[in-house]
Amino acid sequence: MTLNLFSFFHLNLAYSAIEEEDRPKIIERCYWPLLNLASKHNLPFGIELSGYTLETIKKIDSNWIDKLRELITDGPCELIGCGYAQIIGPLVPSKITDFNLQIGHEVYEKILGKIPKTALLNEQAFSSGLISLYKSAGYENIIMEWDNPYREHSEWNSEWSYLPQRAKDSNNEEIDLIWNKSIGFQKFQRYAHGELDLDELLDYVRSQQSEKSRAYPVYGNDIEIFDFRPGRYMTEASIQSQGEWKRINNFYEALKNENNMQFIKPSEVMNLKDKPGANQLLDLASEAQPVPVKKQDKYNVLRWAVTGRDDLAINTRCWKLYEALQNNPNSSTIEWKELCYLWSSDFRTHITDKRWKKYRQRLNKFSQQHIKVNNPNTTNIENKNNDSLLTNLDFEIIRKGRFLVIENKRFKIKLNCKRGLALDSYIDRKISDESLFGTIDHGYFDDIHYSADYYSGHLVFEAPGKHKITDLINVEPDVINLLNGIQVSAVIITPLGAIIKKWTIDCTTGILLLSFKLNWPEPLIGSMRLGYITLMPKVFDTKTLSYHAHNGGNCIENFQLGNENNFNHGNTISSLISANQALGITSGIIEVGDNKKRITLSFSKSQASLIGLVSYTKVRDLIFSRIALSAREVDDTSRSSPLGPFEVDFKISVT
């Protein structure tokens, strides 16, 4: 049976490690050879680039634009879209993705006279919430990597990877799906760089043949790495003296001479929709991998969220700008376009010193124009009382050894003063007579691997090769009688600086407000996680236990926990990569619970653009499940920077 081969090339002049003055060189060495190759052999390549890259090329080399227009209008190639900027959809508000796709279409049509129908998800970072946004923008197909969703779905048939499928969201909205494959494009890169011989790569492609109809992606990734080196890694191979584009040309020439192989456009994969095994309706996300991304685990969504030079700070600033534009009825498309640019992924990875400085200047200028500086909110305090026992709105506060117990007829909340006011237990008798979340004591699990204490409501900072810094130390809390509740706070001194921690308890609803404030001046690389919620193991129905959050879309995404698959988003991959997966939590709300009881944690993304980490493990017959929020993680993009000024307020409620 004929093997249908397709290729698409990702062009990105905003590439993090490329200086702006090198862009003409990129067009000459990387972009022109691509068009010449397609023209020479009449190859139906997909050419994917952002509106920003298209505008930038036009300023530098309008002849290249003319040639591209010719190839996608009268020639063999097709345009693949991604929006105006390379934005990571699962990490931004849905309206930003809407504007990004809309403005991208406007640029494509203005410069090329074409509006693409096939989209490559930026960095192939998928969440089910993106499906409706891409469909609303007019896209008919999306391209997504197969390898990572497949590993979390053992029920899938491997043959599906060679056929078009459909991706669905939580509301069963769907979009046609074309698969890319990381292993395949990495082998292509190795061949181009001289690490594989031509026969080895050809044998690999031949191995994809079958008696069944199949489509196979020969290549689907960056182009700026051929006959050019961005200088991103110390391990980059030297440029092949014979020329990498010459090697690529030899490969495609050889493929043309193969029997039972033919080249098709990426969108023509959809012509196989009627083949057996095609058109399956698939949920690409999973509880262990809510935001699948291309390539190996080290390349995950955290790299654009809380790593880099200071992703937390610039993402938080972008959220502030988003709220400012959202609240201004006179916000213009030009302003939204600028915010899309500022949210580009490349400023959050291996950005050069020169470009980082320029980016910060541009971000600051736009912020000064749109963000007003507000005075800090003040809490309405009636009276302060440091006695060990007081009564306030029917609450009784009693110090029992290391615990501060706050109780009335409905609620009982216990804080551990020996552990930095970590939450020991939370009982809402209207819902359950047992604590729903809090601390699992040392030795609770009959398994030495889980013999530690597991707290709630605390903070942990870990730097590679150093001891942990936590807020789990002995404190004497201040107790304040508020107008509508009680505030318990402490200043916690750590080797890196002080942490101001505060619990505010609503005496009527039992809602908890947990606040952290710190400003550590020393430049740091490390992982900082806080706001932990540790579920009590025997309280929840494991059959209906689930967690819920928005990841860039309008609809909430639901993930079941009560199965045999253990996972921990916060597990390290290596000494260089501190976590493997995360939730965007783009509504600022994450929920966890069963069909009868649910814990909701919320915060403002414009105060701190945190992301979520969930874990779930069966320890013999018990469950061990936690949520944490992350302000910083470690990966290959991380650079030292001070932690702070940092402040976040969490709202925790139970229904």
Side-chain angles (χ1 to χ4, degrees):
M1 192 70 71
T2 299
L3 179 63
N4 298 281
L5 303 176
F6 66 97
S7 306
F8 65 90
F9 294 83
H10 168 60
L11 285 61
N12 178 22
L13 276 186
Y15 199 119
S16 60
I18 296 174
E19 300 288 7
E20 291 184 17
E21 56 265 31
D22 286 332
R23 289 173 177 175
K25 193 183 300 181
I26 293 291
I27 297 171
E28 176 189 354
R29 293 187 184 180
C30 306
Y31 294 180
W32 270 113
L34 173 67
L35 300 191
N36 292 336
L37 179 62
S39 182
K40 176 182 178 182
H41 296 293
N42 199 40
L43 291 167
F45 289 155
I47 298 174
E48 182 270 327
L49 70 177
S50 67
Y52 173 80
T53 292
L54 198 58
E55 288 179 337
T56 306
I57 297 172
K58 189 174 187 299
K59 292 176 184 177
I60 298 170
D61 189 345
S62 60
N63 290 332
W64 189 92
I65 297 292
D66 294 339
K67 184 64 175 178
L68 174 62
R69 188 187 303 113
E70 174 191 323
L71 285 170
I72 64 173
T73 303
D74 302 316
C77 298
E78 72 176 344
L79 176 66
I80 296 174
C82 71
Y84 175 69
Q86 187 169 271
I87 289 174
I88 307 303
L91 297 178
V92 302
S94 60
K95 189 167 184 176
I96 291 295
T97 296
D98 283 338
F99 269 112
N100 192 47
L101 297 178
Q102 170 196 319
I103 295 169
H105 279 340
E106 292 170 0
V107 175
Y108 296 138
E109 186 169 32
K110 179 180 178 181
I111 296 179
L112 297 174
K114 288 277 186 180
I115 294 180
K117 295 299 182 183
T118 300
L120 175 68
L121 295 181
N122 290 321
E123 298 292 355
Q124 289 161 76
F126 173 88
S127 71
S128 64
L130 298 181
I131 291 173
S132 63
L133 305 183
Y134 277 78
K135 286 193 69 175
S136 296
Y139 283 107
E140 297 174 358
N141 319 304
I142 59 170
I143 299 175
M144 175 57 193
E145 188 232 42
W146 158 267
D147 304 89
N148 278 286
Y150 174 56
R151 73 173 186 177
E152 296 297 335
H153 289 278
S154 58
E155 74 278 11
W156 289 6
N157 187 328
S158 61
E159 191 65 28
W160 296 352
S161 70
Y162 296 99
L163 297 167
Q165 308 297 346
R166 292 175 294 154
K168 69 173 183 176
D169 66 14
S170 297
N171 295 327
N172 287 322
E173 187 154 4
E174 59 191 69
I175 193 168
D176 286 335
L177 177 64
I178 299 167
W179 294 117
N180 189 23
K181 293 189 175 181
S182 289
I183 300 299
F185 74 64
Q186 288 173 334
K187 284 188 176 294
F188 184 105
Q189 290 170 347
R190 290 185 179 192
Y191 161 73
H193 293 165
E195 298 172 25
L196 290 180
D197 294 332
L198 178 59
D199 287 342
E200 291 179 283
L201 184 57
L202 287 172
D203 284 344
Y204 183 77
V205 176
R206 291 174 188 134
S207 73
Q208 310 304 314
Q209 290 180 303
S210 167
E211 295 179 357
K212 301 177 181 178
S213 294
R214 284 179 167 186
Y216 177 73
V218 173
Y219 189 69
N221 204 43
D222 300 342
I223 192 177
E224 296 83 6
I225 58 173
F226 302 132
D227 281 338
F228 184 85
R229 293 293 182 270
R232 177 167 161 176
Y233 301 113
M234 294 181 67
T235 55
E236 285 180 338
S238 58
I239 295 176
Q240 282 291 298
S241 58
Q242 69 188 92
E244 289 163 358
W245 279 104
K246 184 176 181 180
R247 290 176 65 85
I248 293 169
N249 176 82
N250 293 342
F251 173 59
Y252 279 101
E253 279 190 337
L255 285 179
K256 289 184 70 175
N257 294 323
E258 288 287 315
N259 295 323
N260 300 320
M261 292 187 190
Q262 68 177 4
F263 294 107
I264 62 172
K265 295 177 180 178
S267 63
E268 290 175 342
V269 172
M270 302 312 301
N271 294 337
L272 302 178
K273 284 184 72 171
D274 62 344
K275 300 300 181 182
N279 223 25
Q280 304 288 327
L281 190 58
L282 304 177
D283 186 353
L284 274 59
S286 64
E287 64 275 11
Q289 195 180 57
V291 183
V293 177
K294 66 180 180 180
K295 301 198 292 191
Q296 286 76 13
D297 272 345
K298 65 181 181 180
Y299 199 86
N300 60 60
V301 73
L302 290 112
R303 71 190 290 108
W304 306 287
V306 287
T307 60
R309 289 177 181 260
D310 197 352
D311 286 354
L312 178 71
I314 62 175
N315 286 335
T316 301
R317 186 85 68 87
C318 285
W319 276 94
K320 290 180 188 291
L321 286 164
Y322 165 74
E323 291 184 356
L325 296 185
Q326 179 82 338
N327 293 330
N328 180 3
N330 299 316
S331 295
S332 67
T333 301
I334 292 174
E335 291 170 316
W336 286 107
K337 184 178 181 181
E338 177 68 4
L339 183 52
C340 288
Y341 170 82
L342 293 170
W343 232 316
S344 298
S345 62
D346 288 290
F347 299 121
R348 289 151 174 81
T349 53
H350 295 278
I351 192 75
T352 66
D353 292 341
K354 187 186 298 184
R355 289 186 60 202
W356 174 248
K357 182 179 180 181
K358 187 173 181 178
Y359 170 77
R360 290 303 299 264
Q361 290 172 343
R362 189 162 171 173
L363 177 62
N364 289 337
K365 181 179 179 181
F366 197 61
S367 298
Q368 289 166 5
Q369 294 169 351
H370 295 281
I371 299 176
K372 295 179 180 178
V373 179
N374 297 319
N375 292 325
N377 294 327
T378 56
T379 306
N380 187 0
I381 298 175
E382 273 194 342
N383 132 79
K384 180 173 181 178
N385 190 329
N386 287 324
D387 294 340
S388 61
L389 177 65
L390 62 84
T391 301
N392 177 41
L393 298 178
D394 298 325
F395 259 76
E396 187 177 51
I397 304 179
I398 302 174
R399 180 68 179 268
K400 292 184 176 179
R402 66 184 186 277
F403 297 114
L404 189 68
V405 182
I406 304 156
E407 185 174 12
N408 68 2
K409 292 181 180 179
R410 177 177 171 182
F411 301 106
K412 184 176 182 181
I413 297 156
K414 189 188 296 185
L415 302 177
N416 190 338
C417 300
K418 291 285 188 181
R419 292 292 182 265
L421 302 181
L423 183 73
D424 187 75
S425 60
Y426 177 98
I427 296 174
D428 180 349
R429 296 183 180 92
K430 187 176 179 180
I431 296 173
S432 173
D433 289 331
E434 297 180 87
S435 176
L436 300 181
F437 62 103
T439 299
I440 298 176
D441 292 325
H442 169 254
Y444 179 90
F445 294 112
D446 186 20
D447 188 323
I448 192 65
H449 295 98
Y450 300 94
S451 62
D453 292 295
Y454 298 102
Y455 301 98
S456 289
H458 61 297
L459 178 152
V460 178
F461 177 81
E462 284 191 84
K466 297 183 179 180
H467 292 293
K468 291 181 183 179
I469 302 294
T470 78
D471 61 355
L472 297 170
I473 65 172
N474 187 24
V475 297
E476 280 303 318
D478 284 335
V479 179
I480 295 177
N481 184 14
L482 303 178
L483 182 63
N484 63 339
I486 294 164
Q487 176 182 295
V488 182
S489 63
V491 177
I492 298 165
I493 305 302
T494 79
L496 295 175
I499 301 170
I500 300 174
K501 183 173 182 178
K502 178 172 63 179
W503 288 96
T504 304
I505 302 165
D506 187 300
C507 295
T508 305
T509 64
I511 290 175
L512 306 178
L513 299 180
L514 171 60
S515 301
F516 291 93
K517 184 186 294 187
L518 58 88
N519 189 7
W520 295 346
E522 177 185 340
L524 301 165
I525 288 180
S527 164
M528 189 173 86
R529 301 171 187 175
L530 66 164
Y532 285 81
I533 290 181
T534 301
L535 304 186
M536 302 312 291
K538 297 180 180 179
V539 179
F540 293 92
D541 174 19
T542 57
K543 294 180 180 179
T544 61
L545 186 63
S546 59
Y547 71 89
H548 316 264
H550 289 80
N551 293 303
N554 292 314
C555 62
I556 197 165
E557 299 176 26
N558 308 309
F559 301 94
Q560 294 301 127
L561 289 173
N563 55 41
E564 298 303 317
N565 296 327
N566 297 339
F567 68 91
N568 184 346
H569 296 160
N571 269 354
T572 59
I573 297 172
S574 68
S575 59
L576 186 63
I577 313 291
S578 62
N580 63 82
Q581 184 60 209
L583 293 159
I585 317 184
T586 48
S587 66
I589 299 170
I590 181 170
E591 302 173 335
V592 63
D594 58 25
N595 284 353
K596 295 182 179 179
K597 306 173 289 294
R598 183 170 294 190
I599 301 165
T600 301
L601 183 149
S602 60
F603 61 98
S604 168
K605 297 283 282 191
S606 63
Q607 185 188 31
S609 181
L610 309 175
I611 56 170
L613 307 173
V614 180
S615 66
Y616 174 86
T617 305
K618 287 288 290 290
V619 184
R620 301 191 186 279
D621 295 328
L622 298 173
I623 65 159
F624 174 41
S625 188
R626 312 177 88 186
I627 292 172
L629 284 302
S630 176
R632 182 171 289 190
E633 296 296 331
V634 178
D635 69 7
D636 58 297
T637 73
S638 296
R639 297 285 189 91
S640 296
S641 63
L643 234 170
F646 172 85
E647 185 172 359
V648 65
D649 303 305
F650 297 116
K651 177 182 176 182
I652 305 169
S653 60
V654 176
T655 54

